[in-house]
Amino acid sequence: MASPVKLNVLDGVARIVIDAPPVNAQSIAVRRGLWEAVRMAEADPKVVALAILGAGRNFSAGAEISEFEGPGQEPWFGTVYNRIEACTKPVVAGIAGAALGGGLELALACHFRLAAPGARLGLPEVTLGLVPGAGGTQRTPRLIGAEAALRVMLTGQPMSAKSAEKLGLVDGVVEGDLAETTLALARELGQGGSGGAPRRSRDARAGLEDPQVFEAAIARARAELKADPARARLEAPHRVIDCIEGALLLPFDTGLAYELDAFEELRESRQSAALRHVFFAERSAARPARLGANRPEAPGRIGVVGGGAPGAALAAAAAGAGLDVRLMEQDEAHLEAARARVEALLAGEGRTPEAVGAAMARIAGTGDEGLEGCDLVVETLPDESGLKGDLLARLSELLGAGPVLATLARSPDLSELARPLEHPARFIGLRFFGPVHRAGLLEVGGTEGAGAEALGCGLGLAKALGMQGVLAEPPVAALVSGAGKAAAEEQVARGEASREEINAAWAGFGMGRAFAGVGLADVAGWKRAALIRPGCLAMANAGALMLAQGAVAEAATLDVAMIACGAFPREGGGPMHWAEAEGLAKVEAELLARAESHGAALWEPAPQFAELVKNGQGWGDL
């Protein structure tokens, strides 16, 4: 197979291009290609310098995360990057698009760095429960100091090229042709210009000049982490701080070894495995197989039928997200009342008067333009109004085969509502978990006949509103989280714990509170694990039943839904992942024991458990 790394020599400069679509991830093939290209360039007497670039839109968006599931293959990232840094000829990185994770670590190992104005640079490993494992925690603080390095690694957020230049992470931002400028600088350096000797990040001292300032930043980071219970329970941020401190206290090679040990320990941890699972699950949920070749498309304009509380909340969320809204009410007086509700919601979210005004300008009453030009029309009448079916039928007739028609009805079955519609393939259900303006989850439902374009429109709306969208019919989040709360109620009824103790255990694990309006009690750490276990078991079992009913296509989608609605911690991976990590045989045995002692209603194992355990399989095999 052809190497994903291309090498050609132009006027004494080895042009090394990573060509591994779509994002030039640092796979084993790319690492081998880089190793060989650098070896050949350094051995070639005609080459005076090297330039490393990315093909397409990105320099390199990081590691091939799927490779983290097993032991690392040589050459490891750090082995390759150390080889590049040790090159006796100047190496210049030309960074366009994303340079994230291993991609940024590669750039840091180069001797000089140029970036395009739109480049994004970051070390997001902490979001996967990891530390940068190829020199990121050692080179970065040497270049920019502890405070900035901690900010980059603990938030995981990318920075702009200008910000990176200001910090000293890159040497310049190139407004013109990045590749040509990178090659020109490499050629100049190779010919002895601009201080052309290799300038290695391992030798940088700018960030280490004041040890007291460095250690003060470390101390502040530790104190802030300890003060935030949600972050304090995460393992990776603590190790990031330790590794960055190691850049000050340890020789460079010892610091690299310390960093790699931390990376490997975290890679094998349950937290990191869970976070990596969620990383892939969220991407799968955003592009479910049922959409086929269709991509979720955000509606440019939505129609909202009904200006009561749900309709006003949807209109406010959509207009606040930059969508045009057409608001339909029965008369002008009701329309003005609805607009007042929308404006109050927008103002109550802390927006400036100017931002509120801009959002309100995107909302027009249907008396102005009707529902023409809408991509999505959402009916928002209360379920108990008794008018929902007739209204949907009239809207379906009015809209024809144009806009997607949706309902906020929380009915567990859309089939009855879809039956009289003229275009049932363009009909979906939208279920926000919690108030629309605060929801993190939008469940998009459809009958068997719902079309991929309509479902994609619902998922596109979720993305436009900044929510996690999942395909689910009937809605699953309330049912699965309700099973967990039922287990907690049973614990209290049986005298196993108080409501306050269970709340404390749930909150400490990251599942919110089992009982609203009830405080927290002090609970020993060993007892917390025992108190959350029934809730986790019940949610996993309820999720398996939802799978059996075909409510969702994959167990991973359930995990995404439960995390997005706040019912399960992200670092726990969701109830289905939790059950698999515990061992499905063990979970099935506990469910059977509880069914015998506590009753079958909540605890009778879903049929998939026996099937998967018998065949030694997991949820992904269903």
Side-chain angles (χ1 to χ4, degrees), residues 379-439:
E379 170 279 313
T380 69
L381 267 62
D383 286 3
E384 61 273 13
S385 69
L387 304 173
K388 195 174 288 289
D390 290 341
L391 176 59
L392 285 169
R394 291 202 304 272
L395 285 170
S396 181
E397 183 179 359
L398 172 69
L399 298 172
V404 173
L405 177 61
T407 178
L408 296 188
R410 304 204 69 82
S411 165
D413 186 358
L414 293 179
S415 299
E416 184 176 343
L417 293 174
R419 192 173 297 115
L421 303 185
E422 291 194 7
H423 302 280
R426 299 191 66 75
F427 176 60
I428 58 174
L430 301 175
R431 285 76 175 247
F432 295 89
F433 193 92
V436 172
H437 61 292
R438 291 201 300 270

Tab-separated table of all heavy atoms in Angstrom, residues 379-439:
chain	number	residue	atom	x	y	z
A	379	GLU	N	-45.813	21.710	15.826
A	379	GLU	CA	-47.058	21.897	16.563
A	379	GLU	C	-46.772	21.734	18.044
A	379	GLU	O	-46.151	20.745	18.448
A	379	GLU	CB	-48.081	20.877	16.059
A	379	GLU	CG	-49.344	20.777	16.854
A	379	GLU	CD	-49.183	19.919	18.096
A	379	GLU	OE1	-48.615	18.820	17.987
A	379	GLU	OE2	-49.618	20.368	19.175
A	380	THR	N	-47.215	22.691	18.883
A	380	THR	CA	-46.807	22.703	20.295
A	380	THR	C	-47.979	22.717	21.268
A	380	THR	O	-47.799	23.041	22.431
A	380	THR	CB	-45.916	23.940	20.572
A	380	THR	OG1	-46.707	25.136	20.497
A	380	THR	CG2	-44.754	24.020	19.598
A	381	LEU	N	-49.184	22.397	20.813
A	381	LEU	CA	-50.330	22.427	21.718
A	381	LEU	C	-50.168	21.401	22.840
A	381	LEU	O	-49.558	20.346	22.642
A	381	LEU	CB	-51.624	22.122	20.951
A	381	LEU	CG	-52.400	23.336	20.414
A	381	LEU	CD1	-51.578	24.099	19.416
A	381	LEU	CD2	-53.740	22.887	19.817
A	382	PRO	N	-50.722	21.677	24.015
A	382	PRO	CA	-50.658	20.696	25.109
A	382	PRO	C	-51.321	19.376	24.711
A	382	PRO	O	-52.311	19.378	23.974
A	382	PRO	CB	-51.427	21.382	26.246
A	382	PRO	CG	-51.420	22.838	25.903
A	382	PRO	CD	-51.421	22.907	24.406
A	383	ASP	N	-50.781	18.282	25.207
A	383	ASP	CA	-51.338	16.970	24.873
A	383	ASP	C	-52.813	16.861	25.262
A	383	ASP	O	-53.602	16.217	24.579
A	383	ASP	CB	-50.545	15.862	25.579
A	383	ASP	CG	-49.182	15.635	24.934
A	383	ASP	OD1	-48.852	16.372	23.980
A	383	ASP	OD2	-48.455	14.738	25.388
A	384	GLU	N	-53.171	17.512	26.373
A	384	GLU	CA	-54.525	17.361	26.896
A	384	GLU	C	-55.539	18.270	26.188
A	384	GLU	O	-56.727	18.266	26.529
A	384	GLU	CB	-54.548	17.645	28.399
A	384	GLU	CG	-54.107	19.054	28.789
A	384	GLU	CD	-52.602	19.155	28.981
A	384	GLU	OE1	-51.877	18.213	28.581
A	384	GLU	OE2	-52.156	20.176	29.537
A	385	SER	N	-55.091	19.052	25.207
A	385	SER	CA	-56.003	20.001	24.565
A	385	SER	C	-57.093	19.293	23.760
A	385	SER	O	-58.173	19.848	23.551
A	385	SER	CB	-55.221	20.935	23.631
A	385	SER	OG	-54.723	20.209	22.509
A	386	GLY	N	-56.818	18.086	23.272
A	386	GLY	CA	-57.792	17.370	22.467
A	386	GLY	C	-57.875	17.852	21.032
A	386	GLY	O	-58.645	17.313	20.228
A	387	LEU	N	-57.074	18.873	20.685
A	387	LEU	CA	-57.112	19.446	19.341
A	387	LEU	C	-55.944	18.996	18.478
A	387	LEU	O	-55.865	19.329	17.300
A	387	LEU	CB	-57.114	20.982	19.429
A	387	LEU	CG	-58.218	21.614	20.264
A	387	LEU	CD1	-57.985	23.126	20.382
A	387	LEU	CD2	-59.585	21.336	19.649
A	388	LYS	N	-55.031	18.266	19.075
A	388	LYS	CA	-53.757	17.974	18.429
A	388	LYS	C	-53.938	17.214	17.107
A	388	LYS	O	-53.360	17.574	16.079
A	388	LYS	CB	-52.872	17.180	19.391
A	388	LYS	CG	-51.418	17.123	18.970
A	388	LYS	CD	-50.601	16.451	20.051
A	388	LYS	CE	-50.441	17.320	21.279
A	388	LYS	NZ	-49.544	18.475	21.025
A	389	GLY	N	-54.758	16.158	17.133
A	389	GLY	CA	-54.913	15.346	15.934
A	389	GLY	C	-55.493	16.139	14.775
A	389	GLY	O	-55.001	16.079	13.641
A	390	ASP	N	-56.567	16.925	15.050
A	390	ASP	CA	-57.187	17.720	13.990
A	390	ASP	C	-56.228	18.778	13.471
A	390	ASP	O	-56.149	19.031	12.259
A	390	ASP	CB	-58.457	18.391	14.511
A	390	ASP	CG	-59.580	17.390	14.761
A	390	ASP	OD1	-59.495	16.277	14.207
A	390	ASP	OD2	-60.501	17.734	15.518
A	391	LEU	N	-55.481	19.414	14.362
A	391	LEU	CA	-54.550	20.460	13.944
A	391	LEU	C	-53.453	19.890	13.054
A	391	LEU	O	-53.106	20.463	12.017
A	391	LEU	CB	-53.926	21.141	15.170
A	391	LEU	CG	-52.852	22.191	14.880
A	391	LEU	CD1	-53.408	23.320	14.020
A	391	LEU	CD2	-52.266	22.743	16.181
A	392	LEU	N	-52.897	18.738	13.441
A	392	LEU	CA	-51.844	18.123	12.636
A	392	LEU	C	-52.362	17.744	11.252
A	392	LEU	O	-51.668	17.924	10.244
A	392	LEU	CB	-51.286	16.890	13.351
A	392	LEU	CG	-50.357	17.174	14.538
A	392	LEU	CD1	-50.090	15.893	15.321
A	392	LEU	CD2	-49.042	17.776	14.053
A	393	ALA	N	-53.591	17.243	11.191
A	393	ALA	CA	-54.165	16.870	9.895
A	393	ALA	C	-54.319	18.099	9.004
A	393	ALA	O	-54.025	18.059	7.804
A	393	ALA	CB	-55.510	16.186	10.096
A	394	ARG	N	-54.794	19.222	9.587
A	394	ARG	CA	-54.953	20.451	8.799
A	394	ARG	C	-53.600	20.983	8.343
A	394	ARG	O	-53.436	21.450	7.216
A	394	ARG	CB	-55.696	21.514	9.618
A	394	ARG	CG	-57.146	21.185	9.879
A	394	ARG	CD	-57.952	22.440	10.186
A	394	ARG	NE	-57.397	23.184	11.315
A	394	ARG	CZ	-57.709	22.961	12.590
A	394	ARG	NH1	-58.565	21.978	12.891
A	394	ARG	NH2	-57.181	23.682	13.559
A	395	LEU	N	-52.603	20.921	9.236
A	395	LEU	CA	-51.263	21.400	8.871
A	395	LEU	C	-50.666	20.536	7.763
A	395	LEU	O	-50.027	21.047	6.835
A	395	LEU	CB	-50.351	21.393	10.098
A	395	LEU	CG	-50.583	22.498	11.125
A	395	LEU	CD1	-49.777	22.222	12.399
A	395	LEU	CD2	-50.193	23.868	10.553
A	396	SER	N	-50.855	19.221	7.852
A	396	SER	CA	-50.318	18.329	6.831
A	396	SER	C	-50.926	18.648	5.467
A	396	SER	O	-50.232	18.672	4.447
A	396	SER	CB	-50.599	16.870	7.206
A	396	SER	OG	-50.065	15.988	6.244
A	397	GLU	N	-52.224	18.946	5.459
A	397	GLU	CA	-52.891	19.305	4.207
A	397	GLU	C	-52.384	20.644	3.689
A	397	GLU	O	-52.135	20.820	2.491
A	397	GLU	CB	-54.399	19.360	4.440
A	397	GLU	CG	-55.196	19.665	3.180
A	397	GLU	CD	-56.690	19.694	3.454
A	397	GLU	OE1	-57.090	19.465	4.618
A	397	GLU	OE2	-57.452	19.952	2.507
A	398	LEU	N	-52.200	21.598	4.599
A	398	LEU	CA	-51.745	22.937	4.216
A	398	LEU	C	-50.314	22.930	3.695
A	398	LEU	O	-49.994	23.564	2.690
A	398	LEU	CB	-51.853	23.871	5.433
A	398	LEU	CG	-51.242	25.269	5.289
A	398	LEU	CD1	-52.060	26.097	4.299
A	398	LEU	CD2	-51.167	25.965	6.649
A	399	LEU	N	-49.434	22.190	4.381
A	399	LEU	CA	-48.006	22.225	4.057
A	399	LEU	C	-47.650	21.345	2.868
A	399	LEU	O	-46.636	21.571	2.205
A	399	LEU	CB	-47.188	21.788	5.285
A	399	LEU	CG	-47.325	22.671	6.537
A	399	LEU	CD1	-46.631	22.020	7.718
A	399	LEU	CD2	-46.768	24.067	6.276
A	400	GLY	N	-48.442	20.323	2.601
A	400	GLY	CA	-48.144	19.414	1.505
A	400	GLY	C	-46.853	18.653	1.768
A	400	GLY	O	-46.531	18.287	2.902
A	401	ALA	N	-46.100	18.414	0.704
A	401	ALA	CA	-44.862	17.627	0.816
A	401	ALA	C	-43.650	18.519	1.015
A	401	ALA	O	-42.518	18.096	0.778
A	401	ALA	CB	-44.684	16.772	-0.435
A	402	GLY	N	-43.884	19.764	1.450
A	402	GLY	CA	-42.771	20.699	1.622
A	402	GLY	C	-42.075	20.559	2.956
A	402	GLY	O	-41.226	19.676	3.136
A	403	PRO	N	-42.421	21.407	3.948
A	403	PRO	CA	-41.707	21.366	5.230
A	403	PRO	C	-41.919	20.047	5.966
A	403	PRO	O	-42.898	19.336	5.749
A	403	PRO	CB	-42.336	22.528	6.013
A	403	PRO	CG	-43.041	23.368	5.010
A	403	PRO	CD	-43.448	22.445	3.905
A	404	VAL	N	-40.993	19.741	6.840
A	404	VAL	CA	-41.172	18.626	7.769
A	404	VAL	C	-42.151	19.076	8.839
A	404	VAL	O	-42.060	20.200	9.353
A	404	VAL	CB	-39.822	18.223	8.398
A	404	VAL	CG1	-40.025	17.181	9.501
A	404	VAL	CG2	-38.884	17.696	7.325
A	405	LEU	N	-43.091	18.244	9.187
A	405	LEU	CA	-44.071	18.535	10.234
A	405	LEU	C	-43.679	17.771	11.493
A	405	LEU	O	-43.368	16.578	11.431
A	405	LEU	CB	-45.471	18.121	9.779
A	405	LEU	CG	-46.615	18.299	10.788
A	405	LEU	CD1	-46.779	19.762	11.166
A	405	LEU	CD2	-47.922	17.746	10.200
A	406	ALA	N	-43.700	18.470	12.628
A	406	ALA	CA	-43.296	17.838	13.887
A	406	ALA	C	-44.289	18.182	14.980
A	406	ALA	O	-45.002	19.185	14.917
A	406	ALA	CB	-41.895	18.301	14.291
A	407	THR	N	-44.314	17.331	15.989
A	407	THR	CA	-45.136	17.571	17.165
A	407	THR	C	-44.280	17.444	18.418
A	407	THR	O	-43.334	16.660	18.441
A	407	THR	CB	-46.309	16.573	17.240
A	407	THR	OG1	-47.052	16.817	18.439
A	407	THR	CG2	-45.805	15.126	17.276
A	408	LEU	N	-44.648	18.228	19.433
A	408	LEU	CA	-44.015	18.082	20.740
A	408	LEU	C	-44.781	17.104	21.622
A	408	LEU	O	-44.465	16.974	22.807
A	408	LEU	CB	-43.924	19.440	21.455
A	408	LEU	CG	-43.049	20.520	20.818
A	408	LEU	CD1	-42.922	21.714	21.765
A	408	LEU	CD2	-41.674	19.990	20.475
A	409	ALA	N	-45.768	16.430	21.064
A	409	ALA	CA	-46.573	15.488	21.846
A	409	ALA	C	-45.690	14.457	22.521
A	409	ALA	O	-44.779	13.906	21.909
A	409	ALA	CB	-47.583	14.784	20.947
A	410	ARG	N	-45.967	14.184	23.769
A	410	ARG	CA	-45.179	13.208	24.514
A	410	ARG	C	-45.839	11.840	24.507
A	410	ARG	O	-45.524	10.965	25.298
A	410	ARG	CB	-44.953	13.697	25.945
A	410	ARG	CG	-44.290	15.067	25.996
A	410	ARG	CD	-43.554	15.301	27.279
A	410	ARG	NE	-42.376	14.452	27.398
A	410	ARG	CZ	-41.204	14.730	26.830
A	410	ARG	NH1	-41.065	15.805	26.100
A	410	ARG	NH2	-40.178	13.921	26.996
A	411	SER	N	-46.790	11.664	23.589
A	411	SER	CA	-47.422	10.360	23.420
A	411	SER	C	-46.353	9.316	23.141
A	411	SER	O	-45.414	9.566	22.383
A	411	SER	CB	-48.400	10.410	22.254
A	411	SER	OG	-48.759	9.111	21.857
A	412	PRO	N	-46.466	8.128	23.748
A	412	PRO	CA	-45.441	7.111	23.518
A	412	PRO	C	-45.469	6.513	22.121
A	412	PRO	O	-44.590	5.768	21.744
A	412	PRO	CB	-45.766	6.040	24.571
A	412	PRO	CG	-47.216	6.230	24.857
A	412	PRO	CD	-47.485	7.691	24.715
A	413	ASP	N	-46.505	6.814	21.323
A	413	ASP	CA	-46.615	6.204	20.006
A	413	ASP	C	-47.105	7.261	19.026
A	413	ASP	O	-48.205	7.801	19.165
A	413	ASP	CB	-47.588	5.027	20.058
A	413	ASP	CG	-47.631	4.269	18.741
A	413	ASP	OD1	-46.931	4.688	17.798
A	413	ASP	OD2	-48.361	3.280	18.668
A	414	LEU	N	-46.300	7.543	18.011
A	414	LEU	CA	-46.668	8.541	17.012
A	414	LEU	C	-47.598	7.983	15.937
A	414	LEU	O	-48.150	8.756	15.144
A	414	LEU	CB	-45.405	9.079	16.329
A	414	LEU	CG	-44.441	9.905	17.173
A	414	LEU	CD1	-43.242	10.319	16.334
A	414	LEU	CD2	-45.129	11.137	17.736
A	415	SER	N	-47.755	6.683	15.899
A	415	SER	CA	-48.498	6.061	14.799
A	415	SER	C	-49.923	6.592	14.706
A	415	SER	O	-50.438	6.855	13.614
A	415	SER	CB	-48.525	4.543	14.959
A	415	SER	OG	-47.214	4.020	14.935
A	416	GLU	N	-50.585	6.747	15.853
A	416	GLU	CA	-51.971	7.210	15.833
A	416	GLU	C	-52.063	8.625	15.271
A	416	GLU	O	-52.978	8.943	14.509
A	416	GLU	CB	-52.547	7.157	17.246
A	416	GLU	CG	-54.022	7.524	17.308
A	416	GLU	CD	-54.594	7.373	18.706
A	416	GLU	OE1	-53.951	6.686	19.532
A	416	GLU	OE2	-55.656	7.946	18.968
A	417	LEU	N	-51.106	9.486	15.636
A	417	LEU	CA	-51.112	10.854	15.131
A	417	LEU	C	-50.754	10.898	13.658
A	417	LEU	O	-51.233	11.761	12.915
A	417	LEU	CB	-50.128	11.718	15.924
A	417	LEU	CG	-50.475	11.988	17.390
A	417	LEU	CD1	-49.336	12.733	18.074
A	417	LEU	CD2	-51.772	12.792	17.488
A	418	ALA	N	-49.907	9.978	13.214
A	418	ALA	CA	-49.452	9.990	11.823
A	418	ALA	C	-50.478	9.415	10.858
A	418	ALA	O	-50.479	9.759	9.671
A	418	ALA	CB	-48.147	9.198	11.702
A	419	ARG	N	-51.378	8.571	11.369
A	419	ARG	CA	-52.276	7.814	10.478
A	419	ARG	C	-53.105	8.706	9.549
A	419	ARG	O	-53.222	8.422	8.354
A	419	ARG	CB	-53.183	6.901	11.317
A	419	ARG	CG	-53.943	5.873	10.486
A	419	ARG	CD	-54.695	4.886	11.370
A	419	ARG	NE	-53.764	4.114	12.199
A	419	ARG	CZ	-53.710	4.186	13.525
A	419	ARG	NH1	-54.524	4.989	14.190
A	419	ARG	NH2	-52.851	3.450	14.209
A	420	PRO	N	-53.726	9.788	10.024
A	420	PRO	CA	-54.556	10.584	9.107
A	420	PRO	C	-53.786	11.609	8.274
A	420	PRO	O	-54.387	12.316	7.471
A	420	PRO	CB	-55.519	11.306	10.066
A	420	PRO	CG	-54.737	11.448	11.328
A	420	PRO	CD	-53.866	10.229	11.420
A	421	LEU	N	-52.483	11.690	8.439
A	421	LEU	CA	-51.717	12.726	7.745
A	421	LEU	C	-51.518	12.374	6.280
A	421	LEU	O	-51.357	11.203	5.917
A	421	LEU	CB	-50.357	12.919	8.420
A	421	LEU	CG	-50.370	13.275	9.909
A	421	LEU	CD1	-48.948	13.551	10.399
A	421	LEU	CD2	-51.281	14.470	10.180
A	422	GLU	N	-51.479	13.403	5.429
A	422	GLU	CA	-51.304	13.175	4.005
A	422	GLU	C	-49.868	12.785	3.656
A	422	GLU	O	-49.628	12.111	2.664
A	422	GLU	CB	-51.696	14.444	3.225
A	422	GLU	CG	-53.180	14.741	3.274
A	422	GLU	CD	-53.580	15.769	2.232
A	422	GLU	OE1	-52.725	16.143	1.399
A	422	GLU	OE2	-54.757	16.179	2.231
A	423	HIS	N	-48.929	13.231	4.479
A	423	HIS	CA	-47.513	12.958	4.194
A	423	HIS	C	-46.827	12.431	5.462
A	423	HIS	O	-45.996	13.120	6.049
A	423	HIS	CB	-46.823	14.213	3.673
A	423	HIS	CG	-47.457	14.775	2.446
A	423	HIS	ND1	-47.229	14.253	1.191
A	423	HIS	CD2	-48.338	15.802	2.283
A	423	HIS	CE1	-47.928	14.935	0.303
A	423	HIS	NE2	-48.612	15.876	0.932
A	424	PRO	N	-47.167	11.226	5.897
A	424	PRO	CA	-46.601	10.692	7.142
A	424	PRO	C	-45.083	10.525	7.102
A	424	PRO	O	-44.436	10.527	8.146
A	424	PRO	CB	-47.304	9.338	7.310
A	424	PRO	CG	-47.768	8.979	5.927
A	424	PRO	CD	-48.093	10.271	5.260
A	425	ALA	N	-44.502	10.402	5.906
A	425	ALA	CA	-43.045	10.251	5.817
A	425	ALA	C	-42.322	11.521	6.235
A	425	ALA	O	-41.128	11.488	6.539
A	425	ALA	CB	-42.639	9.866	4.398
A	426	ARG	N	-43.053	12.650	6.269
A	426	ARG	CA	-42.451	13.926	6.639
A	426	ARG	C	-42.944	14.377	8.011
A	426	ARG	O	-43.003	15.580	8.303
A	426	ARG	CB	-42.747	14.987	5.576
A	426	ARG	CG	-42.184	14.606	4.211
A	426	ARG	CD	-42.225	15.742	3.226
A	426	ARG	NE	-41.350	16.858	3.606
A	426	ARG	CZ	-40.036	16.841	3.496
A	426	ARG	NH1	-39.409	15.761	3.037
A	426	ARG	NH2	-39.323	17.886	3.851
A	427	PHE	N	-43.271	13.402	8.860
A	427	PHE	CA	-43.802	13.698	10.205
A	427	PHE	C	-42.901	13.075	11.261
A	427	PHE	O	-42.544	11.890	11.170
A	427	PHE	CB	-45.221	13.141	10.326
A	427	PHE	CG	-45.820	13.308	11.696
A	427	PHE	CD1	-45.997	14.562	12.259
A	427	PHE	CD2	-46.198	12.192	12.425
A	427	PHE	CE1	-46.543	14.703	13.522
A	427	PHE	CE2	-46.752	12.320	13.684
A	427	PHE	CZ	-46.930	13.580	14.242
A	428	ILE	N	-42.505	13.866	12.268
A	428	ILE	CA	-41.637	13.387	13.346
A	428	ILE	C	-42.129	13.921	14.686
A	428	ILE	O	-42.924	14.864	14.748
A	428	ILE	CB	-40.164	13.826	13.141
A	428	ILE	CG1	-40.067	15.352	13.066
A	428	ILE	CG2	-39.572	13.174	11.904
A	428	ILE	CD1	-38.636	15.876	13.008
A	429	GLY	N	-41.639	13.321	15.738
A	429	GLY	CA	-41.875	13.814	17.088
A	429	GLY	C	-40.600	14.389	17.665
A	429	GLY	O	-39.511	13.851	17.434
A	430	LEU	N	-40.720	15.486	18.393
A	430	LEU	CA	-39.579	16.116	19.063
A	430	LEU	C	-39.850	16.111	20.556
A	430	LEU	O	-40.849	16.682	21.015
A	430	LEU	CB	-39.379	17.560	18.571
A	430	LEU	CG	-39.135	17.748	17.066
A	430	LEU	CD1	-39.086	19.233	16.723
A	430	LEU	CD2	-37.845	17.063	16.648
A	431	ARG	N	-38.988	15.467	21.323
A	431	ARG	CA	-39.170	15.386	22.776
A	431	ARG	C	-37.938	15.969	23.462
A	431	ARG	O	-36.856	15.380	23.426
A	431	ARG	CB	-39.366	13.937	23.232
A	431	ARG	CG	-40.745	13.340	22.930
A	431	ARG	CD	-40.919	12.954	21.490
A	431	ARG	NE	-42.185	12.280	21.221
A	431	ARG	CZ	-42.284	11.011	20.863
A	431	ARG	NH1	-41.208	10.271	20.724
A	431	ARG	NH2	-43.464	10.489	20.633
A	432	PHE	N	-38.103	17.138	24.046
A	432	PHE	CA	-37.024	17.769	24.797
A	432	PHE	C	-37.045	17.217	26.216
A	432	PHE	O	-38.109	17.148	26.845
A	432	PHE	CB	-37.200	19.286	24.833
A	432	PHE	CG	-37.088	19.946	23.492
A	432	PHE	CD1	-38.208	20.101	22.680
A	432	PHE	CD2	-35.867	20.407	23.033
A	432	PHE	CE1	-38.112	20.701	21.439
A	432	PHE	CE2	-35.757	21.007	21.790
A	432	PHE	CZ	-36.877	21.155	20.992
A	433	PHE	N	-35.854	16.828	26.717
A	433	PHE	CA	-35.790	16.318	28.083
A	433	PHE	C	-35.624	17.522	29.009
A	433	PHE	O	-34.553	18.105	29.113
A	433	PHE	CB	-34.622	15.356	28.256
A	433	PHE	CG	-34.699	14.557	29.541
A	433	PHE	CD1	-35.316	13.327	29.558
A	433	PHE	CD2	-34.181	15.062	30.718
A	433	PHE	CE1	-35.413	12.591	30.737
A	433	PHE	CE2	-34.267	14.350	31.897
A	433	PHE	CZ	-34.885	13.100	31.913
A	434	GLY	N	-36.705	17.897	29.670
A	434	GLY	CA	-36.693	19.087	30.511
A	434	GLY	C	-37.146	20.296	29.716
A	434	GLY	O	-37.519	20.209	28.544
A	435	PRO	N	-37.149	21.482	30.340
A	435	PRO	CA	-37.544	22.704	29.635
A	435	PRO	C	-36.704	22.910	28.382
A	435	PRO	O	-35.489	22.709	28.404
A	435	PRO	CB	-37.275	23.806	30.676
A	435	PRO	CG	-37.273	23.106	32.000
A	435	PRO	CD	-36.742	21.734	31.732
A	436	VAL	N	-37.347	23.364	27.310
A	436	VAL	CA	-36.655	23.474	26.027
A	436	VAL	C	-35.405	24.328	26.138
A	436	VAL	O	-34.333	23.965	25.638
A	436	VAL	CB	-37.607	24.055	24.962
A	436	VAL	CG1	-36.852	24.353	23.674
A	436	VAL	CG2	-38.758	23.096	24.701
A	437	HIS	N	-35.502	25.479	26.830
A	437	HIS	CA	-34.371	26.412	26.853
A	437	HIS	C	-33.230	25.927	27.739
A	437	HIS	O	-32.150	26.499	27.714
A	437	HIS	CB	-34.828	27.802	27.309
A	437	HIS	CG	-35.401	27.853	28.687
A	437	HIS	ND1	-36.597	27.253	29.008
A	437	HIS	CD2	-34.950	28.423	29.824
A	437	HIS	CE1	-36.856	27.453	30.291
A	437	HIS	NE2	-35.885	28.158	30.812
A	438	ARG	N	-33.450	24.852	28.501
A	438	ARG	CA	-32.363	24.314	29.332
A	438	ARG	C	-32.048	22.858	28.996
A	438	ARG	O	-31.207	22.245	29.642
A	438	ARG	CB	-32.713	24.428	30.819
A	438	ARG	CG	-32.751	25.831	31.348
A	438	ARG	CD	-32.594	25.859	32.864
A	438	ARG	NE	-33.656	25.129	33.532
A	438	ARG	CZ	-34.811	25.674	33.918
A	438	ARG	NH1	-35.050	26.947	33.668
A	438	ARG	NH2	-35.735	24.961	34.531
A	439	ALA	N	-32.731	22.291	28.017
A	439	ALA	CA	-32.556	20.874	27.709
A	439	ALA	C	-31.195	20.611	27.070
A	439	ALA	O	-30.690	21.417	26.298
A	439	ALA	CB	-33.666	20.396	26.768
